mmCIF file of all heavy atoms in Angstrom:
data_model
loop_
_atom_site.group_PDB
_atom_site.id
_atom_site.type_symbol
_atom_site.label_atom_id
_atom_site.label_comp_id
_atom_site.label_asym_id
_atom_site.label_seq_id
_atom_site.Cartn_x
_atom_site.Cartn_y
_atom_site.Cartn_z
ATOM 1 N N GLY A 420 -44.442 -1.961 -42.750
ATOM 2 C CA GLY A 420 -43.800 -1.622 -41.495
ATOM 3 C C GLY A 420 -43.872 -0.103 -41.140
ATOM 4 O O GLY A 420 -43.265 0.243 -40.177
ATOM 5 N N ALA A 421 -44.504 0.735 -41.945
ATOM 6 C CA ALA A 421 -44.617 2.092 -41.643
ATOM 7 C C ALA A 421 -45.929 2.487 -41.040
ATOM 8 O O ALA A 421 -46.920 1.765 -41.173
ATOM 9 C CB ALA A 421 -44.288 2.901 -42.871
ATOM 10 N N PHE A 422 -46.034 3.647 -40.394
ATOM 11 C CA PHE A 422 -47.270 4.167 -39.946
ATOM 12 C C PHE A 422 -47.397 5.677 -40.075
ATOM 13 O O PHE A 422 -46.318 6.299 -40.293
ATOM 14 C CB PHE A 422 -47.404 3.753 -38.371
ATOM 15 C CG PHE A 422 -46.415 4.479 -37.518
ATOM 16 C CD1 PHE A 422 -46.676 5.723 -36.891
ATOM 17 C CD2 PHE A 422 -45.107 3.905 -37.364
ATOM 18 C CE1 PHE A 422 -45.798 6.282 -36.121
ATOM 19 C CE2 PHE A 422 -44.181 4.546 -36.537
ATOM 20 C CZ PHE A 422 -44.495 5.738 -35.969
ATOM 21 N N TRP A 423 -48.599 6.221 -40.022
ATOM 22 C CA TRP A 423 -48.722 7.678 -40.149
ATOM 23 C C TRP A 423 -48.552 8.378 -38.911
ATOM 24 O O TRP A 423 -49.069 7.934 -37.796
ATOM 25 C CB TRP A 423 -50.174 7.979 -40.654
ATOM 26 C CG TRP A 423 -50.415 7.523 -42.106
ATOM 27 C CD1 TRP A 423 -51.261 6.488 -42.392
ATOM 28 C CD2 TRP A 423 -49.886 8.027 -43.249
ATOM 29 N NE1 TRP A 423 -51.272 6.322 -43.816
ATOM 30 C CE2 TRP A 423 -50.372 7.304 -44.328
ATOM 31 C CE3 TRP A 423 -49.063 9.129 -43.550
ATOM 32 C CZ2 TRP A 423 -50.122 7.586 -45.710
ATOM 33 C CZ3 TRP A 423 -48.727 9.400 -44.877
ATOM 34 C CH2 TRP A 423 -49.327 8.651 -45.940
ATOM 35 N N ALA A 424 -47.826 9.450 -38.876
ATOM 36 C CA ALA A 424 -47.637 10.245 -37.655
ATOM 37 C C ALA A 424 -48.095 11.732 -38.004
ATOM 38 O O ALA A 424 -47.598 12.325 -38.950
ATOM 39 C CB ALA A 424 -46.207 10.370 -37.196
ATOM 40 N N LYS A 425 -49.040 12.246 -37.188
ATOM 41 C CA LYS A 425 -49.515 13.603 -37.416
ATOM 42 C C LYS A 425 -48.524 14.641 -36.891
ATOM 43 O O LYS A 425 -47.834 14.282 -35.891
ATOM 44 C CB LYS A 425 -50.843 13.793 -36.744
ATOM 45 C CG LYS A 425 -51.961 12.915 -37.342
ATOM 46 C CD LYS A 425 -53.323 13.224 -36.730
ATOM 47 C CE LYS A 425 -54.387 12.250 -37.224
ATOM 48 N NZ LYS A 425 -55.643 12.506 -36.574
ATOM 49 N N PRO A 426 -48.372 15.721 -37.481
ATOM 50 C CA PRO A 426 -47.349 16.706 -37.178
ATOM 51 C C PRO A 426 -47.505 17.126 -35.703
ATOM 52 O O PRO A 426 -46.420 17.269 -35.020
ATOM 53 C CB PRO A 426 -47.712 17.956 -38.053
ATOM 54 C CG PRO A 426 -48.485 17.382 -39.169
ATOM 55 C CD PRO A 426 -49.188 16.165 -38.656
ATOM 56 N N GLU A 427 -48.681 17.230 -35.112
ATOM 57 C CA GLU A 427 -48.797 17.659 -33.745
ATOM 58 C C GLU A 427 -48.314 16.575 -32.754
ATOM 59 O O GLU A 427 -48.111 16.890 -31.627
ATOM 60 C CB GLU A 427 -50.281 18.091 -33.469
ATOM 61 C CG GLU A 427 -51.252 16.988 -33.551
ATOM 62 C CD GLU A 427 -51.876 16.937 -34.957
ATOM 63 O OE1 GLU A 427 -51.186 17.320 -35.904
ATOM 64 O OE2 GLU A 427 -53.053 16.521 -35.087
ATOM 65 N N ASN A 428 -48.142 15.373 -33.250
ATOM 66 C CA ASN A 428 -47.698 14.318 -32.299
ATOM 67 C C ASN A 428 -46.183 14.053 -32.399
ATOM 68 O O ASN A 428 -45.657 13.312 -31.574
ATOM 69 C CB ASN A 428 -48.358 13.020 -32.612
ATOM 70 C CG ASN A 428 -49.898 13.107 -32.389
ATOM 71 O OD1 ASN A 428 -50.276 13.907 -31.566
ATOM 72 N ND2 ASN A 428 -50.661 12.372 -33.085
ATOM 73 N N LEU A 429 -45.472 14.637 -33.400
ATOM 74 C CA LEU A 429 -44.127 14.334 -33.627
ATOM 75 C C LEU A 429 -43.225 14.624 -32.383
ATOM 76 O O LEU A 429 -42.280 13.858 -32.029
ATOM 77 C CB LEU A 429 -43.616 15.195 -34.778
ATOM 78 C CG LEU A 429 -44.136 14.817 -36.163
ATOM 79 C CD1 LEU A 429 -43.530 15.738 -37.288
ATOM 80 C CD2 LEU A 429 -43.730 13.330 -36.491
ATOM 81 N N SER A 430 -43.556 15.575 -31.637
ATOM 82 C CA SER A 430 -42.707 15.946 -30.452
ATOM 83 C C SER A 430 -42.797 14.905 -29.390
ATOM 84 O O SER A 430 -41.920 14.891 -28.500
ATOM 85 C CB SER A 430 -43.112 17.354 -29.931
ATOM 86 O OG SER A 430 -44.337 17.266 -29.363
ATOM 87 N N GLN A 431 -43.778 14.047 -29.363
ATOM 88 C CA GLN A 431 -43.944 13.050 -28.343
ATOM 89 C C GLN A 431 -43.373 11.622 -28.808
ATOM 90 O O GLN A 431 -43.488 10.707 -28.054
ATOM 91 C CB GLN A 431 -45.337 12.884 -27.932
ATOM 92 C CG GLN A 431 -45.989 14.205 -27.415
ATOM 93 C CD GLN A 431 -47.483 14.202 -27.509
ATOM 94 O OE1 GLN A 431 -48.148 13.272 -27.118
ATOM 95 N NE2 GLN A 431 -48.019 15.243 -28.108
#
Side-chain angles (χ1 to χ4, degrees):
Chain A
F422 65 93
W423 293 109
K425 295 183 184 177
E427 63 267 31
N428 295 334
L429 289 177
S430 65
Q431 302 156 49

